[in-house]
Amino acid sequence: MAGFVPDWSLQRKGATDQRRHMEKVKQALKERLPDLVSDEAIVASDGKHVIRVPIRSLEQYKFRFHPWQGDRVGQDQGQGQPGDVLGKLPRRGQEAGQGDKPGETPGVDYIEAEVTIDDIQGLLFDELGLPYLKPKPQATIPQPTWKFKDISPKGLMGNLDKRRSLRQNLMRNARETGKARVGGWHDDDLRFKTWVDEPEPEDNAVIIAMRDISGSMGDFKKMMARTFAFWMLKFLRTQYRAVEVVFLVHHTQAREVTEEEFFQLGESGGTKVSSVYQLCQEVIETRYPPGRWNIYPIHFSDGDNWSDADNRRTVEVLETLLPAVNVFGYGEIREGGYTSTLMAAFSRIKHPRFKMVTMTQRQDVYPALKTFFPRHRKEG
Amino acid sequence: MQGRYPSDREIWELARGMGLDPYPVLFESVPAPVLYEYAAYLIPGRMSHWSYGKAYHAMKTRYDYGLNKLYEMVINSNPAYAFLLESNSELENTFVRAHVMGHVDFFKNNQCFQHTAKDMVEVVSRHAERVRQYEFEVGREQVEKFLDAVLALEEHVSPPGPELPRRPKTATLPSTEREKTWVEWMRPEGGSPARVPEVKPGTEEADDLLLFLMNESRHLDDWQRDIIGMVRDEMMYFWPQVRTKIMNEGWASYWHVKLMRSLELSDDDYVNFARLHSQVTAPMMYQVNPYALGYAIFCDLENRFGKEAIFLSRTVDDDVSFVRNYLNEEIVENLNLMVYGAEQDSVVLKSRASESVREQLVRELVHGGIPVIHVDDGDFNQRGELYLIHRHEGIDLDIPFAERALHYVHQLWGRPVHLETRADAKRMILSFDGQADSRVVL
């Protein structure tokens, strides 16, 4: 062994196997996406929230003893007397496994991953795509523009910012010698102008979120609509530089509301879906010309529409809307198993940009998102 | 010795002069990631599996955040290898070398280690090589999935007592012959593939789930049998360390104190040494610090019965007999040992009485704290099903875990598997047929 100097950087087994483990964690999380996507703790969070997700598939199940049967020997500080309570027993066997903090009490190991909204977003958005991106007419695409906006210590000599470089040189000399003079140039003194690409003004999208607030839309339906809209908004924000959202609600009449109202309003009364589709059309015509905007209308309802006459009217309006939008989504949220009259009317529409899903339980949000934003699909 | 730290050789000679009998020791300084890697895999060069990567990640994270520091890692082999953390100070390294002398003497002389392969570093790297080869031949995923199952069951081997014969060593054979002879060796003479798996009660196989699966399962390819054999060999090698954790650490701590005191350290160094020793033996809340307990017992034993007694104990005891024979009231009191456990939904301190502590600790140490599962029938129902029995000794199994572990047994056996145990004082049979779990309470 003597005289042999090993190259420890070749020692990578630990790192390799660690990476494999992380891959497996990611895979396990992916399998749990349907639950995670509709986890209220995540949707309600401001993005900083971390939740602990038990990962069962990574547990190495062994024949082992019941963790809380029988006694154990341990050390303490010597003050405790027989009968003293040392801690609470961690509850086990609960599916969620949340909130169990063994703390100082020795306890059961859970295999858990700490997950932030960003992690879930990353996994989820890997699975989504933007179908029917509108090919824009050549004329409306401006030439890529750029401006000198930034200063950097590295760059092309031709872009040297003389004034700033002099200033750096002066400052460094003052710092090092106590005299503010110019001279003794270092590479570190140089500053260069750098350019940034100007965003294309047309790279915009608008979501027109519509929701049925008639008496039949209970808390569950509200939550589903909210969760869906949350991820949709997040997703589109990663795809476009600017995303605007217009919130419309309706019962027998439609109106525009704030985001807060959109998710909270609960009213009574009947339902006339055509009212909100007409309002949607109006919004598009007056504020979001389809030539300049990518438009994503989405409508949540339980499909309990007023009358067959209004269903027909709704389909008419929808058919005029479809050519103008990227994707029009209709999410029917139901708690029972029946088919609504609206759904029956819509099912006759065979337009590739019209997407319909039914959501009856929390886990349905994830497949619904995948239906609206499928990956690897070319313009039809 | 004043003003200079002893060399590797000097400290080894010093240890021998004081009565220790260690193998030659090769010391090597390594950077932290390497030391933590060795610690996660328990031995350098071991086969790859994500579970080791997970352990490595956990250990290294703790180190990176300054939560704990590993000073050394010793390998039971002849010569022994000891890896020291590159960033250790001279004094820390002297302390660690002294500590290592205790471990290496223990490896050489404690009877539990009588059968451990003394060239294990080479053996595990040959294992790793074969696993890599199998990954190449049948695919990484396949091998990983198979290892998932085998590693989950790795503890269910029958550690050889001094009187049991050794399993033939295969790894030293030329590789061309090995593939064929492997299977032959694993089957008793005259065994034909078509015979009914038979369990002879009281034999090694009946107490050694891995050995039984390897020999008797009719659903395994040769590479799979080979992997079971490798994992089993490695477990056999580590098993004595599981059985002697308290003794081994206690003995090493006893000797680092003896050796360091004989060095005539400067006052500064002496203070630093005392600090290191107290770090190592610091109490662990609601756990037992094996360094502290082993050290206390050896010191007490020497005070009472002299030097010969501690050398005798280091040769013949394991943790169970060590604690049962020598843990007394004084030590229980000095180390603030106590018994605690669940009562309704609380954890309650139950007793500080030395008999209770001793009795309970022995119970925890028996069989390394791992449930004993033995093979009862390899042709249950005359349908080639496997019937296992958990030897219930007061504590139930973790039933949900046992059900999932049974899936792994099924993966290796290929036919329906059953496990008889007791839960809530009732006999219970867990079964898995590849499709569905079932639980029958008798």
Side-chain angles (χ1 to χ4, degrees):
Chain A
M1 297 292 273
F4 172 66
V5 181
D7 178 2
W8 294 114
S9 67
L10 295 174
Q11 186 77 26
R12 280 202 309 263
K13 192 188 292 249
T16 310
D17 285 346
Q18 177 184 339
R19 196 164 52 241
R20 177 68 188 136
H21 175 237
M22 298 312 284
E23 261 171 49
K24 288 184 77 83
V25 170
K26 196 172 161 190
Q27 186 56 40
L29 283 177
K30 215 165 199 164
E31 280 158 19
R32 299 213 39 190
L33 267 182
D35 294 319
L36 294 175
V37 161
S38 32
D39 190 314
E40 281 160 87
I42 292 175
V43 176
S45 77
D46 50 3
K48 292 183 193 109
H49 198 78
V50 173
I51 58 160
R52 299 175 74 83
V53 183
I55 303 179
R56 263 139 230 281
S57 57
L58 280 187
E59 190 84 67
Q60 284 185 297
Y61 293 94
K62 290 173 179 275
F63 291 115
R64 64 172 202 189
F65 289 119
H66 190 293
W68 285 106
Q69 238 181 44
D71 297 336
R72 274 171 213 209
V73 173
Q75 291 176 278
D76 66 0
Q77 312 284 9
Q79 296 102 331
Q81 290 307 309
D84 287 0
V85 173
L86 305 177
K88 282 272 163 227
L89 208 57
R91 209 174 310 159
R92 72 188 295 259
Q94 281 186 339
E95 277 309 302
Q98 273 183 42
D100 286 345
K101 287 247 171 70
E104 279 294 281
T105 334
V108 195
D109 286 341
Y110 289 101
I111 306 246
E112 281 179 334
E114 292 198 334
V115 184
T116 64
I117 197 155
D118 288 346
D119 297 330
I120 298 170
Q121 184 175 314
L123 290 169
L124 176 64
F125 295 172
D126 272 355
E127 313 245 300
L128 303 183
L130 272 186
Y132 311 116
L133 257 182
K134 244 180 283 185
K136 286 178 196 157
Q138 205 63 31
T140 67
I141 298 181
Q143 292 300 307
T145 56
W146 44 267
K147 273 184 185 160
F148 282 113
K149 269 196 162 177
D150 214 349
I151 301 298
S152 145
K154 294 255 183 313
L156 300 170
M157 245 338 146
N159 295 333
L160 186 69
D161 186 324
K162 296 188 190 94
R163 195 167 62 86
R164 284 199 169 81
S165 300
L166 273 168
R167 190 176 143 79
Q168 287 297 323
N169 180 263
L170 267 173
M171 273 164 45
R172 189 176 54 77
N173 282 326
R175 215 163 39 233
E176 287 171 3
T177 65
K179 275 189 219 145
R181 57 179 185 85
V182 176
W185 286 88
H186 281 190
D187 281 352
D188 293 348
D189 297 336
L190 303 182
R191 289 296 177 272
F192 300 90
K193 290 180 273 197
T194 57
W195 63 91
V196 288
D197 289 326
E198 283 282 281
E200 297 172 24
E202 266 72 20
D203 195 10
N204 292 335
V206 58
I207 299 171
I208 302 173
M210 297 169 274
R211 188 166 83 79
D212 183 347
I213 55 165
S214 64
S216 56
M217 294 291 286
D219 282 343
F220 170 76
K221 294 176 186 174
K222 259 195 261 180
M223 189 272 287
M224 294 289 283
R226 180 186 167 130
T227 307
F228 190 96
F230 173 86
W231 288 112
M232 176 173 173
L233 191 59
K234 263 200 168 306
F235 175 61
L236 292 175
R237 283 207 170 118
T238 62
Q239 305 292 324
Y240 296 102
R241 287 177 214 255
V243 178
E244 289 190 16
V245 195
V246 177
F247 295 99
L248 309 178
V249 295
H250 71 98
H251 33 86
T252 52
Q253 286 170 345
R255 64 193 155 103
E256 187 169 345
V257 293
T258 64
E259 176 167 359
E260 213 165 58
E261 287 172 314
F262 180 81
F263 289 116
Q264 277 162 13
L265 278 177
E267 294 192 10
S268 53
T271 309
K272 234 168 138 182
V273 177
S274 64
S275 66
V276 78
Y277 285 20
Q278 276 164 338
L279 181 59
C280 173
Q281 193 173 29
E282 218 178 287
V283 166
I284 293 173
E285 279 167 8
T286 57
R287 286 149 61 184
Y288 302 100
R292 299 178 46 117
W293 289 83
N294 292 287
I295 303 171
Y296 296 89
I298 174 100
H299 176 221
F300 303 102
S301 170
D302 56 6
D304 220 354
N305 205 10
W306 180 264
S307 64
D308 269 348
D310 193 65
N311 283 344
R312 280 196 295 279
R313 175 91 196 99
T314 305
V315 171
E316 271 170 37
V317 182
L318 180 60
E319 277 172 340
T320 62
L321 268 174
L322 282 174
V325 303
N326 291 49
V327 180
F328 191 109
Y330 172 64
E332 187 159 302
I333 308 167
R334 287 199 304 244
E335 286 171 284
Y338 62 94
T339 303
S340 72
T341 55
L342 187 61
M343 192 67 137
F346 279 166
S347 60
R348 285 193 292 275
I349 301 178
K350 295 277 181 271
H351 195 287
R353 296 197 182 174
F354 180 64
K355 306 261 183 186
M356 239 174 5
V357 290
T358 312
M359 297 184 270
T360 59
Q361 51 176 347
R362 289 160 43 113
Q363 284 80 354
D364 291 343
V365 173
Y366 172 67
L369 281 163
K370 286 180 76 165
T371 310
F372 284 140
F373 302 107
R375 203 168 179 84
H376 308 306
R377 196 84 63 81
K378 289 270 150 62
E379 174 84 3
Chain B
M1 203 80 62
Q2 181 84 44
R4 192 174 71 83
Y5 298 102
S7 66
D8 296 351
R9 179 81 202 174
E10 281 165 347
I11 207 153
W12 190 78
E13 295 288 1
L14 193 62
R16 284 174 60 88
M18 293 175 83
L20 288 181
D21 172 29
Y23 295 122
V25 187
L26 297 174
F27 286 97
E28 190 159 6
S29 281
V30 298
V34 174
L35 187 66
Y36 281 81
E37 182 181 309
Y38 292 169
Y41 289 74
L42 300 171
I43 188 165
R46 207 177 181 189
M47 65 179 78
S48 237
H49 188 252
W50 59 267
S51 58
Y52 302 130
K54 187 173 112 184
Y56 167 72
H57 183 45
M59 286 181 129
K60 197 160 163 308
T61 307
R62 288 179 62 79
Y63 171 78
D64 289 343
Y65 285 103
L67 291 172
N68 71 355
K69 185 178 167 190
L70 210 62
Y71 289 96
E72 46 81 20
M73 161 103 196
V74 202
I75 307 299
N76 165 27
S77 60
N78 184 13
Y81 297 96
F83 300 96
L84 311 175
L85 192 60
E86 226 173 38
S87 58
N88 286 349
S89 69
E90 280 289 316
L91 178 82
E92 282 170 339
N93 269 342
T94 308
F95 173 83
V96 167
R97 282 186 175 93
H99 188 82
V100 164
M101 290 304 149
H103 280 312
V104 176
D105 169 80
F106 196 85
F107 289 145
K108 184 172 172 188
N109 294 289
N110 182 273
Q111 51 92 15
C112 298
F113 290 85
Q114 203 180 319
H115 297 305
T116 53
K118 296 305 174 191
D119 58 347
M120 201 58 187
V121 177
E122 285 76 20
V123 173
V124 297
S125 55
R126 282 194 294 267
H127 287 175
E129 192 53 49
R130 297 222 292 278
V131 170
R132 250 193 314 274
Q133 183 62 28
Y134 295 140
E135 281 179 350
F136 185 72
E137 285 163 13
V138 302
R140 235 183 83 174
E141 300 263 315
Q142 280 268 48
V143 172
E144 181 181 83
K145 201 163 160 255
F146 190 74
L147 266 175
D148 285 352
V150 182
L151 288 176
L153 303 172
E154 68 179 349
E155 289 144 347
H156 302 281
V157 298
S158 174
E163 73 288 347
L164 286 175
R166 288 169 81 173
R167 202 167 66 83
K169 275 168 90 180
T170 56
T172 49
L173 278 175
S175 57
T176 42
E177 275 179 58
R178 194 194 61 227
E179 299 278 327
K180 262 182 205 157
T181 51
W182 175 263
V183 183
E184 289 164 19
W185 263 342
M186 288 309 106
R187 293 171 192 278
E189 312 89 274
S192 71
R195 83 198 163 83
V196 169
E198 192 186 338
V199 185
K200 298 172 202 82
T203 59
E204 192 187 7
E205 265 197 356
D207 293 328
D208 193 323
L209 181 58
L210 279 195
L211 184 65
F212 185 83
L213 290 168
M214 176 172 78
N215 288 350
E216 306 294 345
S217 171
R218 287 182 244 167
H219 292 260
L220 297 177
D221 294 332
D222 287 353
W223 69 267
Q224 293 174 312
R225 285 181 214 283
D226 191 20
I227 283 185
I228 298 181
M230 291 189 260
V231 169
R232 184 172 170 276
D233 280 352
E234 293 183 12
M235 194 62 211
M236 295 294 222
Y237 167 81
F238 289 117
W239 191 259
Q241 296 184 32
V242 175
R243 280 177 64 189
T244 56
K245 179 89 181 151
I246 295 169
M247 286 191 77
N248 206 340
E249 294 301 358
W251 187 247
S253 300
Y254 174 90
W255 284 101
H256 73 226
V257 171
K258 282 271 158 177
L259 288 165
M260 291 300 275
R261 281 186 185 155
S262 74
L263 287 185
E264 296 170 33
L265 297 167
S266 70
D267 288 355
D268 269 4
D269 278 350
Y270 202 88
V271 169
N272 283 330
F273 149 63
R275 193 171 41 81
L276 283 169
H277 176 72
S278 65
Q279 270 171 18
V280 166
T281 54
M284 296 162 83
M285 276 305 266
Y286 305 134
Q287 294 171 42
V288 177
N289 180 337
Y291 296 77
L293 179 58
Y295 177 68
I297 294 180
F298 275 120
C299 288
D300 181 81
L301 193 59
E302 189 189 18
N303 286 341
R304 280 168 210 271
F305 304 106
K307 201 151 200 159
E308 259 174 58
I310 57 171
F311 275 94
L312 181 63
S313 170
R314 83 87 150 86
T315 307
V316 302
D317 280 314
D318 64 3
D319 280 351
V320 171
S321 62
F322 188 61
V323 166
R324 193 202 289 121
N325 294 339
Y326 307 122
L327 178 60
N328 60 32
E329 204 173 332
E330 214 179 303
I331 300 168
V332 168
E333 206 170 294
N334 286 340
L335 295 185
N336 295 317
L337 292 170
M338 48 97 191
V339 179
Y340 68 94
E343 234 165 56
Q344 274 115 36
D345 57 350
S346 303
V347 181
V348 175
L349 197 162
K350 294 200 167 161
S351 172
R352 311 194 81 96
S354 60
E355 312 85 70
S356 325
V357 168
R358 187 167 53 230
E359 205 173 292
Q360 180 54 38
L361 190 53
V362 165
R363 205 172 294 153
E364 279 174 48
L365 292 169
V366 165
H367 202 251
I370 293 151
V372 180
I373 308 278
H374 76 96
V375 182
D376 186 65
D377 193 348
D379 190 29
F380 185 63
N381 285 340
Q382 278 85 54
R383 282 195 303 234
E385 299 179 7
L386 181 63
Y387 196 88
L388 307 175
I389 296 182
H390 163 227
R391 221 172 280 153
H392 196 285
E393 283 160 354
I395 313 253
D396 292 353
L397 289 182
D398 183 331
I399 299 294
F401 261 64
E403 277 184 331
R404 303 292 286 271
L406 210 49
H407 292 194
Y408 291 132
V409 180
H410 180 272
Q411 192 183 332
L412 304 186
W413 186 247
R415 299 274 309 139
V417 289
H418 311 273
L419 172 70
E420 180 182 324
T421 180
R422 281 203 341 249
D424 300 325
K426 291 193 187 80
R427 265 178 79 205
M428 181 188 263
I429 298 170
L430 306 174
S431 302
F432 182 66
D433 63 3
Q435 307 290 323
D437 298 297
S438 66
R439 260 184 226 189
V440 179
V441 180
L442 301 169

